[in-house]
Amino acid sequence: MPHLEALLPLLSLDRLPRTGWLVAGVPNPETIAAHSLGTALVVLALGPKVEPRLDVDRAVALAVLHDAPEALLTDLPRAAAECLPSGAKAAGERRAAELVLAPLSEHAWQRFEEFRAQGTREARFVRLCDQLHLGLRWLGYRREGARVPGGFRSGLAALECAEFAPCAALRAEILAAADELAGERGRS
Amino acid sequence: MPHLEALLPLLSLDRLPRTGWLVAGVPNPETIAAHSLGTALVVLALGPKVEPRLDVDRAVALAVLHDAPEALLTDLPRAAAECLPSGAKAAGERRAAELVLAPLSEHAWQRFEEFRAQGTREARFVRLCDQLHLGLRWLGYRREGARVPGGFRSGLAALECAEFAPCAALRAEILAAADELAGERGRS
Amino acid sequence: MPHLEALLPLLSLDRLPRTGWLVAGVPNPETIAAHSLGTALVVLALGPKVEPRLDVDRAVALAVLHDAPEALLTDLPRAAAECLPSGAKAAGERRAAELVLAPLSEHAWQRFEEFRAQGTREARFVRLCDQLHLGLRWLGYRREGARVPGGFRSGLAALECAEFAPCAALRAEILAAADELAGERGRS
Amino acid sequence: MPHLEALLPLLSLDRLPRTGWLVAGVPNPETIAAHSLGTALVVLALGPKVEPRLDVDRAVALAVLHDAPEALLTDLPRAAAECLPSGAKAAGERRAAELVLAPLSEHAWQRFEEFRAQGTREARFVRLCDQLHLGLRWLGYRREGARVPGGFRSGLAALECAEFAPCAALRAEILAAADELAGERGRS
Amino acid sequence: MPHLEALLPLLSLDRLPRTGWLVAGVPNPETIAAHSLGTALVVLALGPKVEPRLDVDRAVALAVLHDAPEALLTDLPRAAAECLPSGAKAAGERRAAELVLAPLSEHAWQRFEEFRAQGTREARFVRLCDQLHLGLRWLGYRREGARVPGGFRSGLAALECAEFAPCAALRAEILAAADELAGERGRS
Amino acid sequence: MPHLEALLPLLSLDRLPRTGWLVAGVPNPETIAAHSLGTALVVLALGPKVEPRLDVDRAVALAVLHDAPEALLTDLPRAAAECLPSGAKAAGERRAAELVLAPLSEHAWQRFEEFRAQGTREARFVRLCDQLHLGLRWLGYRREGARVPGGFRSGLAALECAEFAPCAALRAEILAAADELAGERGRS
């Protein structure tokens, strides 16, 4: 049953949590599936505003697939990746992608490879949207009352957004909203 | 902050459950976000095998967006929709789509409208993949030990798959695997 | 098995969340069952203090039943109801009530109809207690650290409580406690 | 703020689980609030069918209150109660009731005392409905796929239902449905 | 199957919540198992620094076992224990320990008895570490954004730590960090 | 605040799930903290029966610490580890242990190193107890109704238990109970 064998392992994506949030103290974080969908929605919000034009639909497919290997590898937060030998996480993703995406379809495999190689504008744009979704979720959890370590803000502020003006615009909005929130809490 | 105003409401998608499963007795069902992502993955698995060729990436975008209005409307299970006046759920989705997708981008809005109108092969294919993801999840929950009412099987068996052969193939695999599971439980 | 057919569908009430809280950013909100019980407890706290006397026990029964149709319809938050055509949510509740409460007992059906018609003092009192339980839960979630959008406060402040003095008293206590909490957070 | 001081502690009822289910292996059992509401719904289903007539609304109020002291005492499963000195659990409930229900209203206090004294038909009927809701939930969890120790069946079968014919009827339906389920699993 | 009969009941420890936190408004508190493990880790952090020397490994075993009877008794928060007759909770723990720990091994039983008798320095040290883990968790939940009633701070401040200097040091750090957190929120 | 800096990161252990169970389809698996405690309880059950005598308390300390580095590394299931380059997971554990356990105490560090080196009987015994707790949990989840892939049974059957007779005895009990369960389901 080739289709089932390819699709059933991907169901884990809607059970596996984004573990970085657990470590950061968010008790009910989103799953890997939800993050992937959220990244695709950021692509759909910003992509059509990018100049020169992007192939937005292809970028959406890249976003949908960008974390699919984590169905096997799970979500390794930064601290975990830094404990592993240099390059090990990337090698693990590549191997997991072979096992999980190659059986899905040649199309899926090529789209993932395009994302991983970071050689096209679409691939670089999706990487930024991935980071911006992290920022959005950080803002979202803070608005709900979670207190999350300050490292997220500086990471977001340091993102290199020059290639894609709409990404810079969203980043600025997130930072402004987060600062406003911090101000409300009397930490201005 | 126009980007934030468009994107923050969509974060609800990763909190709102697929309520139909709750009613059917699955205690921890997937979220709307996870279902949308899962539908997009089914599109990526089957789309490239469809003849004549589909625009797979556009179909992926349709899948990502097809339930986005539920960020406002929530997931109304079939029994709920049948209690509402005829056409009310569809009208509610249209209105919710205007509120949620129009601010996202013109591109997102057009993709959603294409899905809703069901006038293209891509739109009809995504509707089938949406139903097939329901079938996959049904099989997945049953494999985990959940007992789910039998209506799901007959609904899946009755799906009209003639336009897209790979959909018929996946449907057949799901039904075979579910029957095998039922047999194992001594209910052959 | 007529009793089972009437009672089993109502078990969904202890799985279905109050979805409005999910949209508002409360990650683990109470279920519809818990809200119904909480409303009944508000009735038991305030009802005996109302002048002229209410039939408190009948009001308790109204509270227990007031959201029972949501076992079928699920909890439609205000934003969802506003997307539906005018009157659709009320029509859906009526139809769901027929399906869910008529098989329970004639007594249950009459109590629900009394609540829906809003023609008796007990029915209007229970409607207020329903809103006041929403206010209590809002206060409770805020005291636990959740940050919930400000709309709740103004909705509570705008409640028409003149007919029932104890309702006005509880409302005043909730608002005072919420303001004290906001002050503690440096947002006075 | 007397109303708040009486009502806020009762919010715990929608967080505290029915711990007996946790011990029995149900991972997401209902809360004490949901069980109380469920008991009230069983009262509303069966009460109107009892001969000679019961005061159904008063019985509903008894059901709503019957476990309210557990907001303080928590839900002590049978095995826990058996470890405590004889009479300790009952004494604890009485003390918790004084602390939790006396501040609510004289009406609430009297209703709880009526339930505890078990001197009226309404009180004895509600005690049975409490046990029958346990049976319903047992059936419900089993229908969802949970495997729960067999002790529940014999406890239900041993319930003394002679005083209230509709209770005997529901009990028989639950047992028949559970046996049918066991048969389906090949354990006839 | 003697080993299974001894070990399976203890699996409940990883499902049963620390109910005191639920009452205090922490929606997803740790389990009894996690608290026991956390206490053992506090023992491993502070024990080696105690003068004169402790038998640290024996103290770890005491920590692992100190709440094991709650697999049967569940976690009775202070308010619950105060409702029970004087001495009832302690008697319940003793009885539960006989049922749960005696079948485990003579070694386990002796270690638990040593903890309960509080006659050795190791036993008194573990009791303090138990309280300090409560303090750590209180700080942890507050850092995540939870608002927990102020009683925890005074309870921690009143702990008698004179016998074990490292316990006094950790207590001081927890209080300082909690006060700093309160200051950040504008409540200095 | 050296004690806090050492202890706070370990709180993650009671949030991080044992991800292997999520992938295998158990929706609410235990945390790493609960698994560590459970392993220590298996040590306390079997350790005193081992001949020649073990230092049971030291073995308990090894069990408490054996997965502590996962506070940083998270729980990498077998499939994830197999995607990483050979030796990468072990290297990651070592690095995470340096970061997480060295600040705890020299005693904790030595105990973890003893476990990792597998050079003592206590260390090898704890490794087996770790695997046996996995088997216990597998049996426990199955008894609750979860259906978990068959690979667990063969892994357990293949465990090398010759050095410790009580481990072989528990393993035999788990396998017999699991087979009995499978028989009940009509899959003999």
Side-chain angles (χ1 to χ4, degrees), chain E residues 56-71:
Chain E
V56 174
D57 292 330
R58 204 174 86 230
V60 169
L62 266 55
V64 161
L65 290 164
H66 84 286
D67 275 344
E70 296 184 1

Side-chain angles (χ1 to χ4, degrees), chain F residues 16-61:
Chain F
L16 288 166
R18 293 264 290 166
T19 43
W21 291 120
L22 288 173
V23 173
V26 174
N28 289 298
E30 86 269 14
T31 59
I32 301 171
H35 163 67
S36 300
L37 184 83
T39 301
L41 291 169
V42 175
V43 167
L44 280 158
L46 305 184
K49 301 180 181 76
V50 169
E51 300 274 334
R53 280 196 161 196
L54 291 173
D55 182 342
V56 175
D57 292 330
R58 204 174 85 231
V60 169

Side-chain angles (χ1 to χ4, degrees), chain A residues 14 44 57 105 111 137, chain B residues 14 44 57 105 111 137 173:
Chain A
D14 63 30
L44 281 158
D57 292 331
S105 67
R111 289 289 177 265
R137 255 295 159 222
Chain B
D14 63 30
L44 281 158
D57 291 331
S105 66
R111 290 290 177 262
R137 254 295 159 221
E173 291 186 19

Side-chain angles (χ1 to χ4, degrees), chain A residues 37-38 41-42 45 137, chain B residues 4-15 33 65 67-72 100-101 104:
Chain A
L37 184 83
L41 291 168
V42 175
R137 255 295 159 222
Chain B
L4 276 188
E5 275 155 37
L7 284 164
L8 284 175
L10 293 168
L11 291 182
S12 300
L13 294 170
D14 63 30
R15 285 283 166 76
L65 289 163
D67 275 343
E70 297 186 1
L72 227 57
V100 158
L101 293 181
L104 208 60

